[in-house]
Amino acid sequence: MAIVKMNRFSLFVFESDKENLLHELQKFNYVHFQDLKENTDYMEMGLENGKVPENIVRVDEEITKVKYGIEKLSKYDTRVTGLKAMKEGREALEFTELEERAESFNYQPIYERLKEVVSSIEAIKSEKEKLNSAMNELKPWMDLDAAVSELSSVKQCITLTGTIPRNARESMEKELLEMQYTYYEVIGEEKGYLYIFIISVKEEADSAIEILRNHGFAEVKLSIKDTPRNEIAIIQNRKKVLEEEEKNCEQQLTELSKYLPNLELLYDFCMNNKLRIASSENFLMAGNVNIIEGYVPADMVSEFTDIVKKNLNNVYYMEIEEADKEDEEVPILLKNSAFSKPYESLTTMYALPKYNEIDPTPLFAPFYIFFFGMMIADMGYGLLLALGTGIALKTFNLSKEQRKNMLFYFYGSIATIIWGAIYGSFFGGIIPMPALIDVAVEYNLLLIVSIAFGILHIFFALGIHAYLNIRDGKPLDALFDVGFWYMALIGAILLLLTTTGTLSGGFKNVAVVIMVIGMAGIVLTGGRSSEGIGGKIGGGLYSLYGISSYVGDFVSYSRLMALGLSGAFIASAINMMVEMLCGMGIFGIIGGIVVFVVGHSFNVFLSVLSGYVHSIRLTYVEFFGKFYEGGGKAFKLLQSKPKYTNLKE
């Protein structure tokens, strides 16, 4: 397929009509507004920035409240989870249906009730923390069997409670025993400290206190009236009451969680609402008139025009023209077949094409799948991958992105099965199979095959480069930049094959002639953009030096062999361990099963990860580097990507 053709529009609309127009255009979705603040010519004309409606503040408040509701209720969600949830998937809605249902849902009472219940829970938790802290402080004093209020009521004596280090006990006791009217008792012990109680007549109090201080005494004020044991019992009873209240509040939250689907739907609506309102930032104003510029797909111009006419009652001015092919501001929208579409993510991850380029997705997708399968190359692994992705595609209600991801790996699994059959590998050879290429013996052949595929891959990329030059009316550039390189590389390859005896010596002279013509052409034309004969020849020689990078590119495809072999050898090693374990009785068999499942699962993961990453590397470096520049701007739809629902197109 290709890059979607665009038409550029300029639209003048009154401020009073703007909101209604944007509302209808959001349903249409396929309109990209250009940020006119970046247009210096317009700004020099004294135009003002477009007005962002004040209700965007209200929308932000709504989003904050809805997010709060979703966050608090999610942990009490009673909906199904796991595989069953994946099977049901997200609810699919038309945009108008999303809007209608969101606007009919009055979230404010639910929010107020939720906030009240959450505040109650937070207050309960805060009180429980204080009670726990108080109880922990009293636990070392559990054996103090006198009410604290009674101790402080003794008129002729002083009473103290506090702690001393355990290692100071013996020395302190010796000194306190010398006092006639002072009594002390160790109430408890915790973390190297003794919790002690002291009572002393006032006449001896100062001496007693001095002894205590000399032994590291730290006074502890017990802010209770009853005995510590009774106070702890009161605290525990209060905690039970609080726990019941907390359970009641959580039950209320569980009941409120039935509104969670409505809140999620409302969140997606509010985000779309904000996007529509904020789009006014892209406009400029002249008095009460909004100046709007942007792009729509060429095949949707009629529908776009009808929306404008219908909602503005012919009170507007608009111009539409075909977008300039060389305009770098034209936003990029890709349109691919069902087969290529899952691989658009790789294109966008690298860079979207410019408007005057081509979409490389359908061109690299078959190679990517082919290389992915060759790097894993095991029928068992491929069948597992195909089974998993196939079940997900058939059974689960997937979002568009999830479906594309599943198809991405499903297509790769087919190539993996095919290459597994070629290598005769099924879970590393656990089931003997005939092989077209025996990787354990014919690794030299496999290396040659890998590099041959690399040559085909690179030559195809160069062919695309030639096509682009011819398409743009530059046939000589196609000859100079591609044709001569074809000749130089093909001649060099044929010469190498004749030297190694793969081809008969009769091809040698032909190979030399082709290679020399190609190299001479590169030297003579490679520096044609430079000034002066010296610059042109120097540039040409430098271009010819680039043949060394092609050698590196070709060698890079040896990873197709290396990764396939590494996965196969790891799988074989796992099978050997399993075989050894299975000969050790019942426990060995159980261990063998575990090693087989865990080992092959890990190897599948590594193989798939390696296939994914290194196929990308071959695409980005060796393939894209020959013809693709990228740097296009993404087409910004007027509907935001939903988080909780699936919007139908």
Side-chain angles (χ1 to χ4, degrees):
M1 301 297 282
I3 299 169
V4 175
K5 297 299 180 185
M6 292 288 165
N7 277 30
R8 180 187 176 96
F9 71 87
S10 297
L11 175 64
F12 291 7
V13 56
F14 285 111
E15 175 67 19
S16 57
D17 296 327
K18 179 185 69 176
E19 178 59 27
N20 185 54
L21 175 64
L22 289 177
H23 184 266
E24 294 304 314
L25 286 178
Q26 189 168 47
K27 297 177 185 177
F28 171 66
N29 194 20
Y30 284 90
V31 57
H32 173 100
F33 294 125
Q34 192 170 8
D35 188 358
L36 297 183
K37 296 190 296 295
E38 298 177 356
N39 190 318
T40 55
D41 292 337
Y42 282 159
M43 299 307 293
E44 289 174 359
M45 292 169 61
L47 298 176
E48 300 176 354
N49 292 334
K51 294 181 181 177
V52 178
E54 294 179 359
N55 60 350
I56 195 170
V57 177
R58 178 180 58 80
V59 173
D60 279 331
E61 291 175 354
E62 286 183 355
I63 291 172
T64 301
K65 291 178 180 178
V66 172
K67 284 176 68 177
Y68 173 84
I70 293 172
E71 177 189 346
K72 297 300 180 183
L73 293 178
S74 290
K75 63 180 73 172
Y76 301 96
D77 191 0
T78 57
R79 291 174 294 183
V80 295
T81 57
L83 290 176
K84 192 172 182 180
M86 291 179 66
K87 186 175 180 180
E88 292 181 2
R90 299 178 185 174
E91 188 176 9
L93 301 170
E94 299 284 353
F95 185 81
T96 52
E97 188 179 0
L98 171 69
E99 188 175 50
E100 289 169 3
R101 287 176 56 178
E103 290 179 342
S104 64
F105 174 58
N106 184 8
Y107 76 95
Q108 193 63 36
I110 288 102
Y111 169 75
E112 296 296 339
R113 179 60 185 149
L114 174 63
K115 195 174 178 183
E116 179 184 333
V117 176
V118 170
S119 296
S120 297
I121 289 178
E122 290 174 351
I124 290 169
K125 288 182 177 179
S126 176
E127 187 177 350
K128 283 173 67 178
E129 287 178 4
K130 291 178 181 178
L131 291 175
N132 285 331
S133 177
M135 191 164 65
N136 290 333
E137 289 176 1
L138 291 176
K139 278 182 179 178
W141 302 100
M142 285 276 285
D143 292 336
L144 182 63
D145 54 4
V148 174
S149 60
E150 293 177 359
L151 295 175
S152 60
S153 65
V154 180
K155 300 296 184 182
Q156 300 303 319
C157 300
I158 64 162
T159 58
L160 294 172
T161 51
T163 63
I164 63 166
R166 181 169 51 190
N167 56 13
R169 178 174 183 169
E170 185 176 345
S171 174
M172 182 198 69
E173 285 180 346
K174 184 183 291 187
E175 294 187 33
L176 287 178
L177 286 173
E178 295 176 359
M179 304 190 69
Q180 189 174 3
Y181 300 108
T182 299
Y183 169 80
Y184 92 96
E185 181 181 349
V186 176
I187 305 300
E189 183 177 343
E190 189 177 88
K191 296 180 180 178
Y193 285 90
L194 300 177
Y195 289 75
I196 62 174
F197 165 70
I198 301 98
I199 183 167
S200 178
V201 296
K202 290 184 177 180
E203 289 77 5
E204 289 185 357
D206 290 341
S207 298
I209 291 172
E210 183 66 23
I211 291 170
L212 292 172
R213 285 177 179 169
N214 291 337
H215 290 84
F217 177 77
E219 186 176 3
V220 176
K221 293 283 188 181
L222 296 176
S223 55
I224 58 175
K225 294 182 178 180
D226 208 339
T227 64
R229 189 176 298 275
N230 290 341
E231 290 288 346
I232 287 174
I234 293 171
I235 289 173
Q236 289 174 333
N237 290 332
R238 177 57 183 163
K239 281 181 65 180
K240 289 179 181 178
V241 173
L242 290 174
E243 285 169 0
E244 287 299 318
E245 291 179 2
E246 188 174 10
K247 285 181 182 178
N248 181 51
C249 289
E250 288 181 343
Q251 182 60 38
Q252 293 181 57
L253 290 179
T254 301
E255 292 173 2
L256 286 172
S257 69
K258 66 183 179 183
Y259 297 107
L260 193 55
N262 302 81
L263 289 170
E264 291 173 346
L265 185 144
L266 182 59
Y267 176 84
D268 284 342
F269 168 74
C270 288
M271 293 303 293
N272 272 287
N273 212 4
K274 181 179 180 180
L275 178 63
R276 184 185 72 244
I277 295 170
S279 64
S280 298
E281 294 178 341
N282 296 302
F283 310 157
L284 292 177
M285 293 191 69
N288 201 33
V289 176
N290 282 273
I291 301 170
I292 305 172
E293 291 186 0
Y295 299 86
V296 293
D299 58 354
M300 295 183 177
V301 168
S302 178
E303 186 179 354
F304 171 75
T305 304
D306 289 344
I307 291 172
V308 173
K309 288 180 179 179
K310 181 179 178 181
N311 289 278
L312 298 180
N313 298 317
N314 291 322
V315 184
Y316 68 93
Y317 174 79
M318 182 168 68
E319 290 183 353
I320 299 181
E321 60 182 6
E322 185 177 334
D324 184 358
K325 184 180 177 182
E326 302 301 323
D327 185 359
E328 294 187 356
E329 295 299 316
V330 180
I332 304 302
L333 191 64
L334 304 180
K335 185 177 182 181
N336 282 291
S337 65
F339 173 76
S340 301
K341 200 166 188 65
Y343 299 91
E344 285 180 356
S345 60
L346 299 183
T347 300
T348 55
M349 188 164 58
Y350 182 84
L352 283 168
K354 293 180 180 178
Y355 193 58
N356 60 357
E357 291 186 309
I358 59 173
D359 177 9
T361 307
L363 302 173
F364 76 75
F367 286 102
Y368 184 92
I369 296 168
F370 185 84
F371 294 154
F372 180 88
M374 190 175 179
M375 291 184 194
I376 304 175
D378 186 282
M379 282 191 70
Y381 292 178
L383 286 171
L384 277 180
L385 197 57
L387 188 63
T389 54
I391 289 174
L393 288 166
K394 190 72 175 177
T395 308
F396 298 151
N397 179 19
L398 304 172
S399 67
K400 288 183 289 185
E401 290 302 316
Q402 290 172 332
R403 188 169 185 81
K404 285 194 290 186
N405 287 336
M406 289 297 108
L407 285 170
F408 183 101
Y409 290 105
F410 179 76
Y411 295 146
S413 70
I414 304 302
T416 301
I417 293 171
I418 294 171
W419 275 105
I422 293 172
Y423 289 179
S425 177
F426 189 93
F427 284 102
I430 196 167
I431 298 177
M433 293 176 57
L436 293 177
I437 301 177
D438 187 346
V439 296
V441 178
E442 300 176 291
Y443 43 83
N444 284 331
L445 173 61
L446 185 55
L447 177 60
I448 293 169
V449 169
S450 299
I451 294 176
F453 287 144
I455 293 170
L456 176 63
H457 196 217
I458 290 174
F459 276 27
F460 184 71
L462 288 171
I464 297 170
H465 188 185
Y467 162 77
L468 292 174
N469 283 328
I470 294 170
R471 183 200 67 176
D472 296 338
K474 303 174 183 177
L476 288 179
D477 285 352
L479 172 63
F480 299 155
D481 295 336
V482 178
F484 287 141
W485 274 110
Y486 271 163
M487 296 174 72
L489 293 172
I490 291 173
I493 293 168
L494 291 175
L495 182 60
L496 178 63
L497 293 176
T498 57
T499 303
T500 58
T502 307
L503 290 178
S504 68
F507 286 96
K508 185 174 183 179
N509 292 334
V510 175
V512 170
V513 170
I514 294 173
M515 183 178 70
V516 170
I517 292 173
M519 289 181 171
I522 292 168
V523 171
L524 293 174
T525 63
R528 61 187 181 277
S529 60
S530 301
E531 295 182 1
I533 295 177
K536 294 181 185 298
I537 297 298
L541 290 171
Y542 183 77
S543 296
L544 181 60
Y545 178 72
I547 200 167
S548 61
S549 68
Y550 278 95
V551 174
D553 289 345
F554 294 153
V555 173
S556 182
Y557 287 87
S558 62
R559 73 189 64 231
L560 296 173
M561 173 201 72
L563 290 170
L565 288 178
S566 65
F569 290 151
I570 291 172
S572 296
I574 293 168
N575 292 340
M576 289 175 62
M577 288 189 287
V578 171
E579 187 177 354
M580 292 170 58
L581 288 168
C582 288
M584 299 179 181
I586 185 64
F587 293 108
I589 292 172
I590 294 172
I593 293 172
V594 172
V595 169
F596 181 85
V597 173
V598 174
H600 280 292
S601 297
F602 183 66
N603 197 30
V604 168
F605 170 75
L606 285 182
S607 297
V608 171
L609 179 63
S610 298
Y612 172 78
V613 171
H614 288 280
S615 296
I616 289 177
R617 197 268 181 201
L618 292 175
T619 300
Y620 287 174
V621 179
E622 276 72 32
F623 191 71
F624 280 1
K626 303 300 179 289
F627 72 94
Y628 187 59
E629 180 180 353
K633 297 181 178 180
F635 188 98
K636 295 179 182 178
L637 299 170
L638 205 50
Q639 292 176 11
S640 69
K641 188 176 180 180
K643 185 175 181 180
Y644 299 105
T645 56
N646 289 333
L647 286 180
K648 298 178 182 177
E649 292 187 356

